[in-house]
Amino acid sequence: MSTADLSTGRRAAPPGARLDLVIRGRRVITPEGERGVEVGVRDGVIVAVEPLGAGLAAEEVTDLAADEVLLPGLVDSHVHVNEPGRTEWEGFASATRAAAAGGVTTIVDMPLNSVPPTTSVEALETKRAAARPSAFVDVGFWGGAVPGNTDDLLPLHEAGVFGFKCFLIDSGVPEFGHLDPAELETDLTELATADALMIVHAEDGAVIGSAPAPHGPHYADFLASRPPQAESVAIGQVIEVARRTGGRAHILHLSNADALPMIAAARAEGVRLSVETCPHYLSLEAEHVPDGATAYKCCPPIRDAGNQDRLWQGLRDGLIDIVVTDHSPSTPDLKALDTGDFGDAWGGVASLQLGLAVVWTEARARDLQLTDVVRWMSAGPAALVGLPTKGGIAVGKDADLAVFAPDEAFDVEPAHLHHKNPITPYAGRRLSGRVRRTLLRGRTITDVPTGTLLRRGEV
C-alpha cells in the first residue's frame, strides 16, 4: 500500500469473511487487561478478539513465543521530525523507521524545528508533501501558535492539525516566536470556540532570566539556570488562562514535580488541563550526569532522583496522563560534544526508538505493569489527540501492534539506532524489553514506507 492521506476512523468489517491475519498469544494487552486471546484482522482492522483456543482461522496465523507479549502500537504525540528545512537533524524516513523499531506506530509531529514551521495551512501542506512518500508509520501534525498568527489557527484546525503548540519562553529557533500571557489568552479564547487543544511549553522567561546563565561542563550549573520555579510560574499562568477561557490546555514535558499539587487543585476545580512527562525525566537523574555529557541536556532539565520519584507517583495517581518522548534531535556539532559546554549545546534528547524500553525498565523496577505502560504510551496519547481507532487491541481499532519481549535485555548501542544522528544519553545503558516485530494495520513494517498521513476529525 502506498503512503497516502487516510481517515483516522474505520469500522470493523462484517464477521463472515475470512480473516487476513490471526495472532494468538497467552499475553495480550487489551483494554480489559492482560489476557490470553486470539486477535483477528481483516483489511487492516481488528475484527475479532476471542479467548485463546477459539480457533480463529486466517491466511496467516502467528503464535507468539512464550516470552512475547502483544501490545497495541504506541502513539507518540511529541516528536520533532524537523523536515523540511532542518532535515540534517532528522527526517520523516529516519524518524519513522526509528519509531517502528521502538514499537511506535503513530507519531504526531511538532510544528518546529522545520522550515517553514507549521503556522499556516500553506506550511502544513509543505510538511505533508515532505512526509507523504517516506513515512513508515502513521503521521499526524500539530499546528503552531506564534505571535501574529491568531487568524491562522482555525483554518489550520479545519485543515486537520490535532491541536496547537506554543512556547511561553524563547523556543530556540527564530522562526517560532513565543507567546506572552496576553497572547496566550487571545489564542486560547479563539481555540475554545472550536474546542481545540493548546499544548504548552511552560517555562517562565522572567524566572530563567534572573537565574545564572548556563555555562561550562558541569551539569549542576546548567540545572541552576532552569530552576523548577520557572515551570511552576508558567504552569500557573496556563491554569489561569484555561480557567478564564474554558479552553483545553496540555502541559508538555513536565519535569518539576513541585507543580503537581497545583495541577491537582486546578483539575479538582474543573480546569481542562492534561499533563505529560517523558522517559528521560523518569529514568535519568541530575546527580548522575557526567561532566561534559551534553547528550543529557534538555529543557526543562532532568532533575534529581527525589523529584523523579514524585513524577512516578504523579503517574500512579493519574495527575500525569501520558508519557511521550519529546524526541528532539540535532546534529553532533549543535550538541557541543567536542567542548562539553552545557551553555552552548542544543537542548533535546533523541529517544524515539528507545522510549518503550526505557519506561518499561523503570516501571517494572517500581512494581508497575505493562498495562500501565500501555495506558501511558498508547491509549492515553491516542485519546489526547483524538484518534479513536488507535491505542488499543479491540474490535474496530486499527491493527497497529507490537510484538514485545519484556524480559529480553540489551545494551544501547548508538550505531544500532535509526535516528539520523544517534546521539543518546542512554549509550551503554542496559534496558529490558525488545520490540521484535511492529505491524501497521496488520502488516509487518518492512523497508517499504506504508504509513498514512492522519487528519483530525476524519473519524
Side-chain angles (χ1 to χ4, degrees):
M1 180 171 57
S2 62
T3 306
D5 291 357
L6 186 72
S7 167
T8 59
R10 290 176 174 176
R11 295 182 179 275
R18 185 172 177 82
L19 302 174
D20 303 320
L21 171 68
V22 169
I23 300 179
R24 301 188 292 227
R26 293 182 178 87
R27 300 183 64 190
V28 178
I29 306 300
T30 74
E32 295 75 35
E34 184 177 308
R35 304 162 55 200
V37 300
E38 301 181 3
V39 179
V41 177
R42 185 185 305 118
D43 296 331
V45 177
I46 297 171
V47 296
V49 180
E50 299 293 338
L52 197 62
L56 295 180
E59 295 176 13
E60 177 187 348
V61 176
T62 296
D63 289 293
L64 298 186
D67 66 337
E68 293 177 339
V69 182
L70 190 66
L71 311 180
L74 303 191
V75 176
D76 194 334
S77 57
H78 196 149
V79 178
H80 295 266
V81 176
N82 307 332
E83 183 179 7
R86 292 190 176 95
T87 311
E88 70 275 15
W89 295 18
E90 189 71 280
F92 283 101
S94 52
T96 57
R97 279 182 184 272
V104 178
T105 51
T106 300
I107 67 169
V108 188
D109 173 67
M110 284 292 164
L112 76 165
N113 301 297
S114 57
V115 182
T118 316
T119 54
S120 68
V121 173
E122 181 181 9
L124 172 64
E125 292 307 322
T126 298
K127 183 167 281 193
R128 282 177 171 155
R132 190 169 288 112
S134 54
F136 287 84
V137 302
D138 286 357
V139 179
F141 301 92
W142 295 108
V146 297
N149 85 323
T150 302
D151 290 344
D152 291 298
L153 300 182
L154 293 184
L156 275 164
H157 179 74
E158 291 301 313
V161 300
F162 286 91
F164 297 86
K165 180 176 185 176
C166 71
F167 279 73
L168 301 185
I169 192 171
D170 183 1
S171 72
V173 292
E175 66 275 0
F176 199 93
H178 67 282
L179 302 182
D180 63 29
E183 290 168 326
L184 174 65
E185 183 153 358
T186 296
D187 284 357
L188 195 53
T189 299
E190 180 83 348
L191 295 180
T193 65
D195 201 33
L197 180 65
M198 178 75 90
I199 64 176
V200 186
H201 182 123
E203 287 183 286
D204 183 74
V207 173
I208 289 176
S210 65
H215 66 282
H218 303 307
Y219 186 75
D221 293 331
F222 168 64
L223 189 60
S225 76
R226 314 289 290 212
Q229 294 88 345
E231 282 187 89
S232 295
V233 168
I235 290 169
Q237 293 170 352
V238 174
I239 289 170
E240 286 301 315
V241 170
R243 178 185 289 119
R244 288 195 294 267
T245 64
R248 297 169 59 211
H250 176 77
I251 302 300
L252 296 166
H253 45 49
L254 180 71
S255 83
N256 172 29
D258 291 346
L260 289 171
M262 87 167 78
I263 290 167
R267 285 180 163 181
E269 185 189 331
V271 176
R272 304 173 74 195
L273 187 71
S274 54
V275 183
E276 70 183 44
T277 193
C278 304
H280 39 281
Y281 302 129
L282 298 172
S283 63
L284 304 174
E285 303 90 13
E287 302 93 317
H288 300 138
V289 178
D291 284 352
T294 54
Y296 288 78
K297 180 179 176 180
C298 56
C299 300
I302 294 160
R303 303 193 189 277
D304 62 74
N307 179 83
Q308 182 185 105
D309 289 340
R310 290 186 292 142
L311 290 177
W312 277 104
Q313 190 60 47
L315 282 166
R316 289 178 184 270
D317 294 342
L319 292 176
I320 301 174
D321 302 275
I322 64 173
V323 180
V324 289
T325 62
D326 187 11
H327 177 72
S328 184
S330 71
T331 53
D333 59 307
L334 292 176
K335 289 301 279 187
L337 300 176
D338 53 344
T339 66
D341 190 319
F342 280 97
D344 294 337
W346 174 261
V349 173
S351 61
L352 183 54
Q353 186 170 334
L354 298 172
L356 173 58
V358 169
V359 174
W360 169 236
T361 299
E362 297 297 321
R364 72 187 307 187
R366 296 170 183 266
D367 296 322
L368 292 157
Q369 307 301 314
L370 274 172
T371 49
D372 298 311
V373 175
V374 165
R375 184 172 71 254
W376 300 326
M377 301 188 78
S378 184
L384 174 75
V385 301
L387 287 171
T389 65
K390 306 293 186 183
I393 298 177
V395 171
K397 300 277 192 182
D398 290 342
D400 299 346
L401 306 165
V403 177
F404 186 60
D407 299 323
E408 183 177 343
F410 66 98
D411 297 325
V412 176
E413 297 184 36
H416 293 171
L417 299 176
H418 292 284
H419 309 151
K420 181 165 285 189
N421 294 286
I423 304 163
T424 173
Y426 302 108
R429 193 178 182 100
R430 173 147 286 214
L431 300 177
S432 295
R434 187 182 292 277
V435 175
R436 293 182 177 167
R437 181 185 177 193
T438 304
L439 298 89
L440 187 66
R441 288 181 296 281
R443 295 176 181 248
T444 299
I445 296 174
T446 62
D447 290 334
V448 178
T450 58
T452 64
L453 306 188
L454 305 176
R455 296 172 183 257
R456 178 210 55 82
E458 292 187 349
V459 177

